[in-house]
mmCIF file with all atom_site columns, all heavy atoms in Angstrom:
data_model
loop_
_atom_site.group_PDB
_atom_site.id
_atom_site.type_symbol
_atom_site.label_atom_id
_atom_site.label_alt_id
_atom_site.label_comp_id
_atom_site.label_asym_id
_atom_site.label_entity_id
_atom_site.label_seq_id
_atom_site.pdbx_PDB_ins_code
_atom_site.Cartn_x
_atom_site.Cartn_y
_atom_site.Cartn_z
_atom_site.occupancy
_atom_site.B_iso_or_equiv
_atom_site.pdbx_formal_charge
_atom_site.auth_seq_id
_atom_site.auth_comp_id
_atom_site.auth_asym_id
_atom_site.auth_atom_id
_atom_site.pdbx_PDB_model_num
ATOM 1   N N   . GLU Y 1 183 ? -11.465 -18.120 6.002  1.00 87.00 ? 732 GLU Y N   1
ATOM 2   C CA  . GLU Y 1 183 ? -10.844 -19.287 5.380  1.00 87.00 ? 732 GLU Y CA  1
ATOM 3   C C   . GLU Y 1 183 ? -11.402 -20.577 5.989  1.00 87.00 ? 732 GLU Y C   1
ATOM 4   O O   . GLU Y 1 183 ? -11.720 -21.532 5.284  1.00 87.00 ? 732 GLU Y O   1
ATOM 5   C CB  . GLU Y 1 183 ? -9.330  -19.203 5.579  1.00 87.00 ? 732 GLU Y CB  1
ATOM 6   C CG  . GLU Y 1 183 ? -8.560  -20.097 4.622  1.00 87.00 ? 732 GLU Y CG  1
ATOM 7   C CD  . GLU Y 1 183 ? -7.078  -20.112 4.923  1.00 87.00 ? 732 GLU Y CD  1
ATOM 8   O OE1 . GLU Y 1 183 ? -6.567  -19.096 5.435  1.00 87.00 ? 732 GLU Y OE1 1
ATOM 9   O OE2 . GLU Y 1 183 ? -6.458  -21.143 4.654  1.00 87.00 ? 732 GLU Y OE2 1
ATOM 10  N N   . GLU Y 1 184 ? -11.519 -20.573 7.327  1.00 87.00 ? 733 GLU Y N   1
ATOM 11  C CA  . GLU Y 1 184 ? -12.061 -21.747 8.017  1.00 87.00 ? 733 GLU Y CA  1
ATOM 12  C C   . GLU Y 1 184 ? -13.520 -21.976 7.635  1.00 87.00 ? 733 GLU Y C   1
ATOM 13  O O   . GLU Y 1 184 ? -13.947 -23.103 7.428  1.00 87.00 ? 733 GLU Y O   1
ATOM 14  C CB  . GLU Y 1 184 ? -11.926 -21.574 9.533  1.00 87.00 ? 733 GLU Y CB  1
ATOM 15  C CG  . GLU Y 1 184 ? -10.551 -21.959 10.016 1.00 87.00 ? 733 GLU Y CG  1
ATOM 16  C CD  . GLU Y 1 184 ? -10.421 -21.957 11.525 1.00 87.00 ? 733 GLU Y CD  1
ATOM 17  O OE1 . GLU Y 1 184 ? -11.457 -21.974 12.207 1.00 87.00 ? 733 GLU Y OE1 1
ATOM 18  O OE2 . GLU Y 1 184 ? -9.272  -21.927 11.995 1.00 87.00 ? 733 GLU Y OE2 1
ATOM 19  N N   . LYS Y 1 185 ? -14.276 -20.863 7.534  1.00 88.00 ? 734 LYS Y N   1
ATOM 20  C CA  . LYS Y 1 185 ? -15.703 -20.963 7.170  1.00 88.00 ? 734 LYS Y CA  1
ATOM 21  C C   . LYS Y 1 185 ? -15.852 -21.543 5.761  1.00 88.00 ? 734 LYS Y C   1
ATOM 22  O O   . LYS Y 1 185 ? -16.735 -22.362 5.506  1.00 88.00 ? 734 LYS Y O   1
ATOM 23  C CB  . LYS Y 1 185 ? -16.340 -19.577 7.240  1.00 88.00 ? 734 LYS Y CB  1
ATOM 24  C CG  . LYS Y 1 185 ? -17.842 -19.570 7.021  1.00 88.00 ? 734 LYS Y CG  1
ATOM 25  C CD  . LYS Y 1 185 ? -18.372 -18.165 6.909  1.00 88.00 ? 734 LYS Y CD  1
ATOM 26  C CE  . LYS Y 1 185 ? -19.674 -18.139 6.153  1.00 88.00 ? 734 LYS Y CE  1
ATOM 27  N NZ  . LYS Y 1 185 ? -19.577 -17.671 4.801  1.00 88.00 ? 734 LYS Y NZ  1
ATOM 28  N N   . ASN Y 1 186 ? -14.940 -21.127 4.855  1.00 85.00 ? 735 ASN Y N   1
ATOM 29  C CA  . ASN Y 1 186 ? -14.999 -21.626 3.479  1.00 85.00 ? 735 ASN Y CA  1
ATOM 30  C C   . ASN Y 1 186 ? -14.659 -23.109 3.385  1.00 85.00 ? 735 ASN Y C   1
ATOM 31  O O   . ASN Y 1 186 ? -15.016 -23.764 2.413  1.00 85.00 ? 735 ASN Y O   1
ATOM 32  C CB  . ASN Y 1 186 ? -14.060 -20.825 2.578  1.00 85.00 ? 735 ASN Y CB  1
ATOM 33  C CG  . ASN Y 1 186 ? -14.579 -19.421 2.337  1.00 85.00 ? 735 ASN Y CG  1
ATOM 34  O OD1 . ASN Y 1 186 ? -15.764 -19.154 2.530  1.00 85.00 ? 735 ASN Y OD1 1
ATOM 35  N ND2 . ASN Y 1 186 ? -13.704 -18.527 1.945  1.00 85.00 ? 735 ASN Y ND2 1
ATOM 36  N N   . LEU Y 1 187 ? -13.943 -23.607 4.401  1.00 87.00 ? 736 LEU Y N   1
ATOM 37  C CA  . LEU Y 1 187 ? -13.576 -25.029 4.381  1.00 87.00 ? 736 LEU Y CA  1
ATOM 38  C C   . LEU Y 1 187 ? -14.605 -25.899 5.112  1.00 87.00 ? 736 LEU Y C   1
ATOM 39  O O   . LEU Y 1 187 ? -14.388 -27.079 5.303  1.00 87.00 ? 736 LEU Y O   1
ATOM 40  C CB  . LEU Y 1 187 ? -12.180 -25.214 4.990  1.00 87.00 ? 736 LEU Y CB  1
ATOM 41  C CG  . LEU Y 1 187 ? -11.021 -24.754 4.090  1.00 87.00 ? 736 LEU Y CG  1
ATOM 42  C CD1 . LEU Y 1 187 ? -9.713  -24.830 4.829  1.00 87.00 ? 736 LEU Y CD1 1
ATOM 43  C CD2 . LEU Y 1 187 ? -10.950 -25.574 2.817  1.00 87.00 ? 736 LEU Y CD2 1
ATOM 44  N N   . ILE Y 1 188 ? -15.708 -25.293 5.515  1.00 89.00 ? 737 ILE Y N   1
ATOM 45  C CA  . ILE Y 1 188 ? -16.816 -26.092 6.061  1.00 89.00 ? 737 ILE Y CA  1
ATOM 46  C C   . ILE Y 1 188 ? -17.811 -26.268 4.928  1.00 89.00 ? 737 ILE Y C   1
ATOM 47  O O   . ILE Y 1 188 ? -18.390 -25.315 4.425  1.00 89.00 ? 737 ILE Y O   1
ATOM 48  C CB  . ILE Y 1 188 ? -17.465 -25.414 7.296  1.00 89.00 ? 737 ILE Y CB  1
ATOM 49  C CG1 . ILE Y 1 188 ? -16.455 -25.367 8.455  1.00 89.00 ? 737 ILE Y CG1 1
ATOM 50  C CG2 . ILE Y 1 188 ? -18.727 -26.161 7.733  1.00 89.00 ? 737 ILE Y CG2 1
ATOM 51  C CD1 . ILE Y 1 188 ? -16.890 -24.563 9.648  1.00 89.00 ? 737 ILE Y CD1 1
ATOM 52  N N   . ILE Y 1 189 ? -17.947 -27.514 4.494  1.00 86.00 ? 738 ILE Y N   1
ATOM 53  C CA  . ILE Y 1 189 ? -18.759 -27.797 3.301  1.00 86.00 ? 738 ILE Y CA  1
ATOM 54  C C   . ILE Y 1 189 ? -20.214 -28.051 3.692  1.00 86.00 ? 738 ILE Y C   1
ATOM 55  O O   . ILE Y 1 189 ? -20.491 -28.797 4.588  1.00 86.00 ? 738 ILE Y O   1
ATOM 56  C CB  . ILE Y 1 189 ? -18.203 -29.026 2.527  1.00 86.00 ? 738 ILE Y CB  1
ATOM 57  C CG1 . ILE Y 1 189 ? -16.682 -28.902 2.364  1.00 86.00 ? 738 ILE Y CG1 1
ATOM 58  C CG2 . ILE Y 1 189 ? -18.902 -29.196 1.197  1.00 86.00 ? 738 ILE Y CG2 1
ATOM 59  C CD1 . ILE Y 1 189 ? -16.196 -27.738 1.552  1.00 86.00 ? 738 ILE Y CD1 1
ATOM 60  N N   . ASN Z 2 31  ? -16.010 -27.962 -3.986 1.00 89.00 ? 349 ASN Z N   1
ATOM 61  C CA  . ASN Z 2 31  ? -16.269 -28.248 -2.567 1.00 89.00 ? 349 ASN Z CA  1
ATOM 62  C C   . ASN Z 2 31  ? -16.263 -29.744 -2.281 1.00 89.00 ? 349 ASN Z C   1
ATOM 63  O O   . ASN Z 2 31  ? -15.777 -30.171 -1.229 1.00 89.00 ? 349 ASN Z O   1
ATOM 64  C CB  . ASN Z 2 31  ? -17.602 -27.621 -2.145 1.00 89.00 ? 349 ASN Z CB  1
ATOM 65  C CG  . ASN Z 2 31  ? -17.459 -26.141 -1.836 1.00 89.00 ? 349 ASN Z CG  1
ATOM 66  O OD1 . ASN Z 2 31  ? -16.352 -25.646 -1.659 1.00 89.00 ? 349 ASN Z OD1 1
ATOM 67  N ND2 . ASN Z 2 31  ? -18.563 -25.423 -1.807 1.00 89.00 ? 349 ASN Z ND2 1
ATOM 68  N N   . ALA Z 2 40  ? -11.251 -30.393 4.062  1.00 88.00 ? 358 ALA Z N   1
ATOM 69  C CA  . ALA Z 2 40  ? -12.363 -29.668 4.710  1.00 88.00 ? 358 ALA Z CA  1
ATOM 70  C C   . ALA Z 2 40  ? -12.184 -29.630 6.228  1.00 88.00 ? 358 ALA Z C   1
ATOM 71  O O   . ALA Z 2 40  ? -11.650 -30.559 6.824  1.00 88.00 ? 358 ALA Z O   1
ATOM 72  C CB  . ALA Z 2 40  ? -13.675 -30.342 4.352  1.00 88.00 ? 358 ALA Z CB  1
ATOM 73  N N   . LYS Z 2 41  ? -12.594 -28.523 6.822  1.00 88.00 ? 359 LYS Z N   1
ATOM 74  C CA  . LYS Z 2 41  ? -12.489 -28.371 8.286  1.00 88.00 ? 359 LYS Z CA  1
ATOM 75  C C   . LYS Z 2 41  ? -13.744 -28.893 8.971  1.00 88.00 ? 359 LYS Z C   1
ATOM 76  O O   . LYS Z 2 41  ? -13.758 -29.127 10.174 1.00 88.00 ? 359 LYS Z O   1
ATOM 77  C CB  . LYS Z 2 41  ? -12.309 -26.900 8.639  1.00 88.00 ? 359 LYS Z CB  1
ATOM 78  C CG  . LYS Z 2 41  ? -11.019 -26.310 8.133  1.00 88.00 ? 359 LYS Z CG  1
ATOM 79  C CD  . LYS Z 2 41  ? -10.023 -26.130 9.247  1.00 88.00 ? 359 LYS Z CD  1
ATOM 80  C CE  . LYS Z 2 41  ? -8.725  -25.551 8.700  1.00 88.00 ? 359 LYS Z CE  1
ATOM 81  N NZ  . LYS Z 2 41  ? -7.691  -25.489 9.698  1.00 88.00 ? 359 LYS Z NZ  1
ATOM 82  N N   . GLY Z 2 42  ? -14.834 -29.018 8.207  1.00 90.00 ? 360 GLY Z N   1
ATOM 83  C CA  . GLY Z 2 42  ? -16.080 -29.491 8.791  1.00 90.00 ? 360 GLY Z CA  1
ATOM 84  C C   . GLY Z 2 42  ? -17.109 -29.775 7.712  1.00 90.00 ? 360 GLY Z C   1
ATOM 85  O O   . GLY Z 2 42  ? -16.911 -29.406 6.553  1.00 90.00 ? 360 GLY Z O   1
ATOM 86  N N   . ILE Z 2 43  ? -18.178 -30.397 8.129  1.00 90.00 ? 361 ILE Z N   1
ATOM 87  C CA  . ILE Z 2 43  ? -19.256 -30.691 7.184  1.00 90.00 ? 361 ILE Z CA  1
ATOM 88  C C   . ILE Z 2 43  ? -20.598 -30.379 7.858  1.00 90.00 ? 361 ILE Z C   1
ATOM 89  O O   . ILE Z 2 43  ? -20.805 -30.741 9.022  1.00 90.00 ? 361 ILE Z O   1
ATOM 90  C CB  . ILE Z 2 43  ? -19.175 -32.157 6.668  1.00 90.00 ? 361 ILE Z CB  1
ATOM 91  C CG1 . ILE Z 2 43  ? -20.272 -32.439 5.644  1.00 90.00 ? 361 ILE Z CG1 1
ATOM 92  C CG2 . ILE Z 2 43  ? -19.154 -33.194 7.765  1.00 90.00 ? 361 ILE Z CG2 1
ATOM 93  C CD1 . ILE Z 2 43  ? -20.058 -33.698 4.816  1.00 90.00 ? 361 ILE Z CD1 1
ATOM 94  N N   . ARG Z 2 44  ? -21.460 -29.682 7.146  1.00 91.00 ? 362 ARG Z N   1
ATOM 95  C CA  . ARG Z 2 44  ? -22.760 -29.316 7.709  1.00 91.00 ? 362 ARG Z CA  1
ATOM 96  C C   . ARG Z 2 44  ? -23.674 -30.544 7.683  1.00 91.00 ? 362 ARG Z C   1
ATOM 97  O O   . ARG Z 2 44  ? -23.560 -31.406 6.796  1.00 91.00 ? 362 ARG Z O   1
ATOM 98  C CB  . ARG Z 2 44  ? -23.388 -28.182 6.900  1.00 91.00 ? 362 ARG Z CB  1
ATOM 99  C CG  . ARG Z 2 44  ? -22.660 -26.866 7.080  1.00 91.00 ? 362 ARG Z CG  1
ATOM 100 C CD  . ARG Z 2 44  ? -23.412 -25.732 6.428  1.00 91.00 ? 362 ARG Z CD  1
ATOM 101 N NE  . ARG Z 2 44  ? -22.644 -24.494 6.539  1.00 91.00 ? 362 ARG Z NE  1
ATOM 102 C CZ  . ARG Z 2 44  ? -21.759 -24.070 5.652  1.00 91.00 ? 362 ARG Z CZ  1
ATOM 103 N NH1 . ARG Z 2 44  ? -21.530 -24.797 4.561  1.00 91.00 ? 362 ARG Z NH1 1
ATOM 104 N NH2 . ARG Z 2 44  ? -21.088 -22.955 5.817  1.00 91.00 ? 362 ARG Z NH2 1
ATOM 105 N N   . THR Z 2 47  ? -25.519 -30.979 4.414  1.00 90.00 ? 365 THR Z N   1
ATOM 106 C CA  . THR Z 2 47  ? -24.649 -31.471 3.340  1.00 90.00 ? 365 THR Z CA  1
ATOM 107 C C   . THR Z 2 47  ? -24.491 -32.991 3.482  1.00 90.00 ? 365 THR Z C   1
ATOM 108 O O   . THR Z 2 47  ? -24.612 -33.742 2.508  1.00 90.00 ? 365 THR Z O   1
ATOM 109 C CB  . THR Z 2 47  ? -23.263 -30.792 3.405  1.00 90.00 ? 365 THR Z CB  1
ATOM 110 O OG1 . THR Z 2 47  ? -23.449 -29.399 3.485  1.00 90.00 ? 365 THR Z OG1 1
ATOM 111 C CG2 . THR Z 2 47  ? -22.408 -31.125 2.204  1.00 90.00 ? 365 THR Z CG2 1
#
Side-chain angles (χ1 to χ4, degrees):
Chain Y
E732 198 186 330
E733 277 187 17
K734 186 188 157 256
N735 289 341
L736 286 174
I737 294 172
I738 313 297
Chain Z
N349 279 344
K359 295 255 179 186
I361 182 164
R362 290 188 184 90
T365 310

